[in-house]
Amino acid sequence: MAQAQAEQSVARSSRSMSLSTLVGSVLIYLAMLLGLVFTIYPFLFMLSTSLQTNAEIFSAPPKLIPPSWQFVNWPNLFAETDFALWFRNSVIVVAIRLPLSLFLCSLGGFALAKYQFIGRTLVFWLVIATIMVPFEAIYIPLYFIMLKLGWLDTFAALIVPFAASAFGIFMMRQYMVSIPDEFIDAAKVDGASGFWIYRSIMVPLSLPALGAIAIVLFLATWNNYFWPLIVATDRDVQTIPLGLVYLIDITLANDLGLQWEKAMVAATISILPLLLTFLLAQRQFIAGLTTGGVKGV
Amino acid sequence: MAADNTSPDSSVPQQSVSGSAGGMVAQASTSRSFRFSDVEPYIFLLPFLLTFLAFMIGPFIWMLYMSLTDWVGILDPEFVGLANYDRMFFKDNVFWRAFLNNLWFAVGAVLLVIPFAMGIALILNWQALPAKPIFRTLFFLPIATSAAVVSVIFANIFGREYGIINFIFGNFGIGVIDWFSDPVAIKPAIMTLIVWRWSALFMIYLLAGLQGISNEYYEAAKVDGANAFQSFLNVTIPLLRPVLVFVLVIVTHDSLRVFEEPFILTRFTSEGDAAAGGPEDSALTLSLYLYRHGFLWGKLGYGSAVSFFIFALTMTVAFIQIKRLRGLFAH
């Protein structure tokens, strides 16, 4: 009797357990749906707005489905604004900064990882100490240096100050330390110079780290808004984030009108390179962000 | 592999800063002495070091000095000692307002971003979730955006007449809110933007951490009769501690110096640079205050003092957090 009762209560509890797991699942799906809507909505909005006219955007209620699919907005962006220029500038800055930083950081990282020399610890700790220093602390003097060097409104100002990335050299050093010394010893026996070792051994073996760093730097550089804002006042060197905000600048409303629809096209395009990189190199992307883990320049 | 750990610099940490399960963490290794030409390391380090000193260390030191002058960019700087700091702390209420705003954002960010990121990470880590790569990509999308892009989008979403938020509010009888002109409303608007944008990044950290927790722990907990909530509290949280502390430090650090979100939302929805900071400076952050005084108004000396304060504040808070919540950095 007691046994039967015990069995019944077990049966009951296992039934209620699967009910609660079911409810749990539903709740999780619900939560995820909400989170998804919250996360995705701005993107849908962006895409949808890029296909509306100005009048449609500024009419209540806001529509998620473009009433009249204004595909013409997309070529118009190029025809009626300097977007092509901004895009070109962003590409130039990234295309120069990335190899430059990777070179500086990998070469320096190599020195820090595999050599013994006076000042090694000092440099290492100096680098670590500066990783968390906020940009706010240095941009005023840095701006002045740009001024003094005559680099305002040039690509140099957008590239050179950030070439020596503390984050980059730190990651390279850490990664290279884990490369077995045997490789280097073997080359040393053959009489190889340090630079040959760097070029032919360390770099090829460090490609994962280089890739991860490149992605983080790409992200930071492509999306950089503030620094270009203060050093690039000349249209010729302005990058995408600047141009985009300029398109909806309310203070210039007399000039061009608020071009939200084109701004959204620009926004969509500006996301594409990063999106592509993420889709193609997801693991590198995540590795770059999680190790060392510093956002920004 | 040589077993002798002849590392003369035993103080040099051998592992990366992040405590999470990443792919690039360097294992402890032996350092050996290479006697190539003795000059080689210096030569290799030189390009980096020169750039680094010129554009990072140099400006930093200059900032320290500048903060003790009253320089305005032209004429000669005049040494004024701690006058800038005196003015900043004791004579400018706006400074304290900015400071309080930053605290508001910091608390808000910690209380909103971290749980939200945690929630998404948990969902993405859930065994039974189908099509994980797709959902992971979707939740990760915000990282690919620049603050400028997102701020522009949110400026519209929170638009008074045409934004979706007010549209929903209107339909639910809450009424239309003038998000960008109302000193009280502007903070939540900016906060929403921050939560939206930052959660994706920290979700990645937390997800990596979650994936590093072996299933054995959960199974052991289940054997002990723990339900989902209990195993979360007693298994997940403790094991995730290093990552959580790391996330906490970074979220606080970033929210104490947040600039772009409030800047773009307030500057471009009102009358330009002068308005950056929101109605009655309700969205003024320390870095906006810095921008206003140091850049717009050209008071470089005073601006440097402010930037030093931001530096000292973020560093101190981070230091305290790390100290008190130890177990973060694996040295």
Side-chain angles (χ1 to χ4, degrees):
Chain A
M1 186 71 149
Q3 167 114 6
Q5 276 184 342
E7 281 171 2
Q8 277 178 19
S9 74
V10 166
R12 234 180 290 131
S13 65
S14 59
R15 251 178 302 156
S16 65
M17 239 175 24
S18 47
L19 178 64
S20 73
T21 7
L22 182 65
V23 169
S25 302
V26 169
L27 284 178
I28 292 184
Y29 275 112
L30 205 62
M32 191 184 73
L33 196 63
L34 285 173
L36 206 57
V37 168
F38 178 66
T39 307
I40 296 300
Y41 178 76
F43 291 104
L44 294 178
F45 173 84
M46 179 181 76
L47 214 50
S48 161
T49 309
S50 73
L51 296 170
Q52 300 182 16
T53 68
N54 218 327
E56 284 162 2
I57 300 173
F58 290 104
S59 66
K63 304 161 193 53
L64 203 53
I65 316 251
S68 62
W69 298 71
Q70 299 283 329
F71 286 105
V72 71
N73 284 342
W74 283 63
N76 273 355
L77 174 71
F78 291 88
E80 295 171 18
T81 68
D82 290 321
F83 184 74
L85 182 67
W86 302 327
F87 193 86
R88 183 205 75 162
N89 291 340
S90 284
V91 168
I92 290 180
V93 172
V94 167
I96 300 184
R97 193 218 159 159
L98 248 50
L100 185 60
S101 282
L102 289 177
F103 177 63
L104 257 52
C105 294
S106 59
L107 200 56
F110 176 44
L112 287 178
K114 295 298 186 190
Y115 283 86
Q116 308 281 48
F117 56 96
I118 302 174
R120 187 177 86 156
T121 325
L122 175 67
V123 171
F124 183 72
W125 282 105
L126 192 63
V127 165
I128 290 194
T130 55
I131 282 186
M132 282 265 282
V133 168
F135 190 55
E136 280 75 18
I138 60 171
Y139 76 73
I140 290 183
L142 197 60
Y143 176 80
F144 239 79
I145 296 178
M146 299 294 110
L147 181 67
K148 286 291 170 63
L149 288 174
W151 281 5
L152 286 185
D153 293 330
T154 67
F155 284 114
L158 295 176
I159 297 173
V160 180
F162 307 112
S165 161
F167 160 72
I169 199 177
F170 175 70
M171 273 199 57
M172 285 312 307
R173 186 254 177 210
Q174 298 296 90
Y175 191 78
M176 284 183 173
V177 159
S178 72
I179 293 180
D181 295 341
E182 278 73 20
F183 291 108
I184 303 178
D185 290 341
K188 227 179 59 164
V189 160
D190 289 342
S193 80
F195 193 75
W196 188 92
I197 293 183
Y198 163 75
R199 183 170 55 87
S200 314
I201 300 182
M202 299 307 285
V203 168
L205 287 179
S206 310
L207 286 181
L210 287 170
I213 297 175
I215 288 177
V216 173
L217 294 183
F218 178 34
L219 193 64
T221 314
W222 187 262
N223 288 337
N224 203 2
Y225 172 70
F226 179 63
W227 178 250
L229 177 72
I230 59 179
V231 299
T233 50
D234 182 352
R235 196 75 60 84
D236 284 340
V237 290
Q238 285 181 344
T239 54
I240 294 179
L242 288 189
L244 211 149
V245 178
Y246 169 79
L247 285 176
I248 59 129
D249 193 340
I250 205 169
T251 63
L252 302 172
N254 304 322
D255 223 305
L256 295 159
L258 299 178
Q259 309 191 66
W260 283 93
E261 72 281 9
K262 300 209 189 67
M264 292 299 114
V265 179
T268 315
I269 297 181
S270 81
I271 292 185
L272 289 178
L274 294 166
L275 202 57
L276 222 68
T277 317
F278 178 64
L279 290 174
L280 292 176
Q282 229 181 70
R283 216 175 310 141
Q284 297 284 64
F285 215 100
I286 296 179
L289 290 175
T290 54
T291 331
V294 176
K295 281 200 302 174
V297 185
Chain B
M1 191 83 182
D4 61 311
N5 211 333
T6 52
S7 169
D9 289 347
S10 54
S11 59
V12 172
Q14 301 288 345
Q15 286 197 310
S16 93
V17 169
S18 161
S20 67
M24 226 67 71
V25 176
Q27 302 306 312
S29 81
T30 63
S31 315
R32 301 255 300 273
S33 216
F34 293 103
R35 226 76 59 80
F36 297 128
S37 118
D38 284 332
V39 185
E40 261 178 356
Y42 296 105
I43 298 181
F44 290 167
L45 213 40
L46 205 61
F48 179 88
L49 221 48
L50 281 181
T51 321
F52 192 63
L53 288 170
F55 298 109
M56 179 74 154
I57 304 293
F60 184 78
I61 297 179
W62 195 359
M63 175 269 291
L64 295 175
Y65 170 69
M66 237 196 249
S67 70
L68 302 173
T69 71
D70 67 349
W71 201 28
V72 288
I74 52 173
L75 307 178
D76 285 328
E78 190 185 302
F79 190 79
V80 291
L82 295 177
N84 286 331
Y85 294 98
D86 173 64
R87 186 170 143 225
M88 190 168 77
F89 290 126
F90 301 118
K91 299 197 175 59
D92 193 358
N93 279 335
V94 182
F95 168 78
W96 288 108
R97 173 174 302 209
F99 185 51
L100 280 171
N101 286 342
N102 264 119
L103 286 184
W104 196 99
F105 282 125
V107 170
V110 168
L111 292 181
L112 294 174
V113 171
I114 299 185
F116 187 62
M118 187 75 196
I120 301 184
L122 283 172
I123 292 178
L124 287 179
N125 196 40
W126 189 37
Q127 311 278 33
L129 187 72
K132 272 209 195 103
I134 299 181
F135 286 121
R136 197 172 56 191
T137 311
L138 287 177
F139 279 114
F140 189 67
L141 279 181
I143 296 189
T145 58
S146 90
V149 166
V150 185
S151 303
V152 164
I153 294 177
F154 271 71
N156 197 302
I157 289 181
F158 280 92
R160 184 164 44 103
E161 283 129 41
Y162 311 109
I164 185 94
I165 301 275
N166 276 347
F167 175 64
I168 296 177
F169 276 19
N171 277 0
F172 280 87
I174 300 182
V176 157
I177 302 180
D178 201 348
W179 294 97
F180 298 118
S181 305
D182 185 341
V184 174
I186 192 162
K187 284 212 187 65
I190 297 180
M191 196 71 238
T192 313
L193 172 58
I194 289 179
V195 170
W196 186 89
R197 197 156 164 265
W198 294 10
S199 300
L201 177 67
F202 296 108
M203 178 270 289
I204 292 284
Y205 292 126
L206 291 169
L207 185 60
L210 281 176
Q211 287 170 340
I213 299 179
S214 146
N215 258 332
E216 295 170 352
Y217 293 104
Y218 292 116
E219 277 156 31
K222 218 185 274 187
V223 163
D224 285 345
N227 63 25
F229 187 62
Q230 284 167 331
S231 65
F232 176 71
L233 268 174
N234 298 311
V235 176
T236 316
I237 299 279
L239 286 176
L240 216 47
R241 210 155 158 259
V243 183
L244 279 173
V245 175
F246 177 74
V247 166
L248 177 70
V249 170
I250 302 292
V251 170
T252 329
H253 173 94
D254 281 345
S255 49
L256 287 174
R257 50 174 279 238
V258 64
F259 178 84
E260 287 178 355
E261 286 91 345
F263 180 70
I264 296 178
L265 282 182
T266 55
R267 185 199 182 291
F268 295 99
T269 51
S270 326
E271 314 90 40
D273 274 337
E280 300 166 28
D281 288 337
S282 50
L284 187 73
T285 61
L286 286 170
S287 49
L288 278 180
Y289 180 79
L290 165 64
Y291 177 74
R292 179 190 287 181
H293 283 266
F295 213 77
L296 278 187
W297 295 349
K299 287 147 43 182
L300 302 174
Y302 187 65
S304 295
V306 177
S307 65
F308 177 73
F309 177 74
I310 295 179
F311 164 74
L313 178 70
T314 51
M315 289 312 215
T316 311
V317 169
F319 185 70
I320 294 177
Q321 285 177 319
I322 295 173
K323 214 58 196 308
R324 291 187 64 218
L325 307 164
R326 225 173 309 191
L328 161 64
F329 295 134
H331 273 302

